[in-house]
Amino acid sequence: MNVLIIGSGGRESAFAHAIKKSNLLTTLFVAPGNGGTAKIAENVNLQENDFEGISHFCKQNKIELILIGPEVPLVDGIRDFLEKDIELKDLLIIGPGKIGAQLEGSKAFSKEFMLNYKIPTAAYKTFNELNINESDVFLESLSPPYVLKADGPAAGKGVLIIDNLIEAKKELREMILDKKFGESSSQVVIEEFLSGTEVSMFVLTDGESYVILPEAKDYKRIGNNDTGPNTGGMGAVSPVYFADKNFTDKVIQQIINPTIKGLKNENISYKGFIFFGLINCEGNPKVIEYNCRMGDPETEAVLPRIKSDFLKLLINCGTSNLRETVLDIDNRTSLTVVLASGGYPAAFEKGYPISGVENVEHSLIFEAGTKTDNKLTTTNGGRVMALTSLATDINQAREKIYHDIEKINYTKKYFRTDIGEDLII
Ligand code: AMP
Ligand code: GLY
């Protein structure tokens, strides 16, 4: 079968590597892809928001399955666009429609959904221009720190955690009245601060059944020991020791099952990944956020642990046959470290040649912000590549990966040196 992946990050490289292994694959395309996907698939010069172009490409190239990596095209309705085209009626689309993607696209929507289906999450209230006068009373009822979330997408910057009450009141007004994050903050969710350790769980659902993928911990801050600004993720580890059977059973009963049932109940036909951003509050899981896609860099840590045919898994999702699917999981530890361009997540330089990749011995390489022209690969983004190594424990995985990272060279290479350290037991 011909497959098209939409996206250009490390997550899409990991998808491409996994799909490439399948005997069911004929040709693999990635749009727009990156320097790494160019080496194992055919990159297509189409941007993720070019729905017309993508639809045309699917028809011209007899694409039978399309996997949408990032959230933006999903939130903007790529599934709905492709589904209404009769010529694409047999195309298997992996990713939810516009309404299902609201689980990620609108914090107000996802909080209301969780409240309706009694899914454990932080207490909250939603405010906009009309009820902003009631916000002071709600903020005063909470204990610091105060969590303010722009309703809509804000490129990972829309969540503010503020210690001071006066400052929280001021920020809320800036978000709603001065549109600090544009239209995305015309509505703001204020919620109770939860303390605990975060873990991400992932399911692939066909709307009726689901399979659970291995869980992962993501390292969001740019600096060691979780310091500095938030990024899309600087590393990941899977499995996470505290997500044991007892914890996972609670997640299944209290969170995953009611989510799948809730979607069905709301007549939201959902075929794709659901990413549950969870926090472990003294042994009890609560949902911090939903995403309507896989995580990046979590995918780079999770997929290498899936031994089953990944394309077959996607086909089973697309054809509503997940009930029959059992995943074969590698029980080793997978550790991912992201190599970035110095300066990221603020301004950074690009265009520097990358060397030494061929000397990497013990790790998988998933390129992200790279470009390959005439066999020369150069840096082309903030997150340049992710390396993943599998080993019997975190210590060994760390040893392998940091040894391999030394072999890769480019100007302004930056990475965190503490990935996984906090999970060593
Ligand atoms: P979100 O975009 O909702 O995932 O929020 C981004 C990050 O802010 C999360 O990964 C958490 O680290 C933190 N965060 C969000 N909501 C809360 C909360 N209610 N309590 C504590 N931390 C939170
Ligand atoms: N690594 C977090 C995310 O993909 O949203």
Side-chain angles (χ1 to χ4, degrees):
M1 106 175 340
N2 292 340
V3 175
L4 172 63
I5 300 172
I6 303 295
S8 60
R11 166 182 51 211
E12 287 73 27
S13 286
F15 281 149
H17 277 273
I19 291 172
K20 195 72 191 164
K21 288 191 215 148
S22 173
N23 292 330
L24 302 168
L25 180 72
T26 312
T27 310
L28 179 61
F29 300 93
V30 190
N34 57 42
T37 57
K39 292 167 194 160
I40 58 166
E42 259 185 61
N43 279 359
V44 181
N45 190 15
L46 284 171
Q47 297 306 309
E48 63 185 42
N49 58 357
D50 181 0
F51 295 176
E52 285 281 359
I54 290 169
S55 156
H56 184 71
F57 183 85
C58 288
K59 292 175 199 167
Q60 292 291 308
N61 293 278
K62 300 194 168 41
I63 301 296
E64 292 169 85
L65 184 143
I66 181 169
L67 166 60
I68 295 110
E71 66 279 14
V72 174
L74 292 167
V75 172
D76 289 347
I78 188 168
R79 168 183 274 273
D80 312 62
F81 185 90
L82 298 172
E83 258 178 356
K84 68 176 196 265
D85 192 328
I86 188 83
E87 282 182 66
L88 294 175
K89 68 177 177 12
D90 295 326
L91 176 67
L92 303 178
I93 305 170
I94 310 302
K98 197 170 179 145
I99 301 179
Q102 289 294 294
L103 279 185
E104 173 162 6
S106 164
K107 302 273 186 204
F109 176 94
S110 69
K111 293 296 286 191
E112 199 182 332
F113 179 88
M114 288 186 258
L115 186 73
N116 287 344
Y117 293 98
K118 300 190 171 49
I119 295 166
T121 187
Y124 82 104
K125 251 188 172 158
T126 303
F127 294 94
N128 56 34
E129 227 172 43
L130 301 176
N131 65 350
I132 191 162
N133 292 334
E134 297 158 32
S135 63
D136 285 354
V137 176
F138 185 64
L139 279 169
E140 284 158 17
S141 76
L142 299 172
S143 326
Y146 305 94
V147 183
L148 311 185
K149 298 184 172 185
D151 175 50
K157 299 200 173 101
V159 176
L160 303 181
I161 299 183
I162 302 167
D163 289 321
N164 180 288
L165 179 63
I166 295 168
E167 203 189 318
K169 290 180 178 176
K170 183 169 149 272
E171 281 289 352
L172 182 78
R173 281 170 176 76
E174 283 179 16
M175 287 172 90
I176 295 177
L177 302 176
D178 305 340
K179 304 220 161 32
K180 182 168 181 160
F181 301 104
E183 275 312 309
S184 288
S185 65
S186 58
Q187 187 153 238
V188 172
V189 167
I190 302 181
E191 64 180 44
E192 165 201 14
F193 180 83
L194 300 173
S195 44
T197 313
E198 290 178 51
V199 57
S200 303
M201 287 190 60
F202 310 94
V203 304
L204 179 65
T205 179
D206 57 17
E208 292 283 336
S209 305
Y210 62 83
V211 288
I212 302 182
L213 277 51
E215 77 284 355
K217 177 174 182 201
D218 169 27
Y219 293 77
K220 286 201 173 76
R221 304 291 197 94
I222 188 72
N224 278 357
N225 303 314
D226 295 332
T227 52
N230 260 332
T231 70
M234 295 302 294
V237 177
S238 176
V240 178
Y241 71 87
F242 66 78
D244 55 12
K245 178 155 184 346
N246 184 28
F247 184 83
T248 306
D249 283 348
K250 286 185 191 167
V251 175
I252 293 171
Q253 298 310 327
Q254 299 169 16
I255 295 171
I256 299 178
N257 287 344
T259 299
I260 305 293
K261 233 171 131 176
L263 288 168
K264 256 181 81 174
N265 203 45
E266 303 283 325
N267 283 322
I268 300 173
S269 142
Y270 196 113
K271 279 192 192 331
F273 294 99
I274 308 178
F275 166 148
F276 299 84
L278 307 173
I279 190 156
N280 178 3
C281 299
E282 292 169 357
N284 291 312
K286 294 194 179 183
V287 179
I288 293 266
E289 66 165 348
Y290 286 114
N291 291 315
C292 61
R293 48 158 179 101
M294 281 298 288
D296 192 351
E298 293 92 327
T299 306
E300 294 94 299
V302 166
L303 257 53
R305 294 191 57 214
I306 300 178
K307 295 198 273 184
S308 318
D309 184 325
F310 187 66
L311 179 53
K312 179 74 184 134
L313 182 67
L314 298 177
I315 295 170
N316 285 354
C317 170
T319 55
S320 303
N321 281 311
L322 279 180
R323 194 179 301 281
E324 294 160 22
T325 307
V326 181
L327 282 191
D328 187 9
I329 303 292
D330 187 330
N331 60 18
R332 285 179 298 169
T333 294
S334 177
L335 190 121
T336 298
V337 177
V338 170
L339 303 192
S341 297
Y344 171 81
F348 56 84
E349 292 164 20
K350 54 189 190 182
Y352 295 113
I354 301 169
S355 64
V357 168
E358 65 286 358
N359 300 327
V360 167
E361 286 168 286
H362 306 293
S363 309
L364 305 165
I365 299 175
F366 302 115
E367 291 184 30
T370 64
K371 199 162 124 182
T372 303
D373 275 325
N374 292 328
K375 300 213 163 129
L376 175 69
T377 301
T378 52
T379 62
N380 191 41
R383 295 197 311 194
V384 175
M385 62 178 75
L387 263 65
T388 295
S389 77
L390 288 152
T392 47
D393 61 31
I394 291 186
N395 280 319
Q396 287 183 38
R398 278 174 50 80
E399 212 166 285
K400 280 163 101 172
I401 206 156
Y402 286 112
H403 177 77
D404 276 337
I405 285 175
E406 288 311 315
K407 299 186 178 154
I408 296 181
N409 297 304
Y410 58 87
T411 305
K412 305 253 165 100
K413 179 174 92 171
Y414 172 80
F415 57 96
R416 273 181 64 162
T417 58
D418 66 338
I419 303 300
E421 247 175 25
D422 59 318
L423 293 178
I424 296 170
I425 34 175

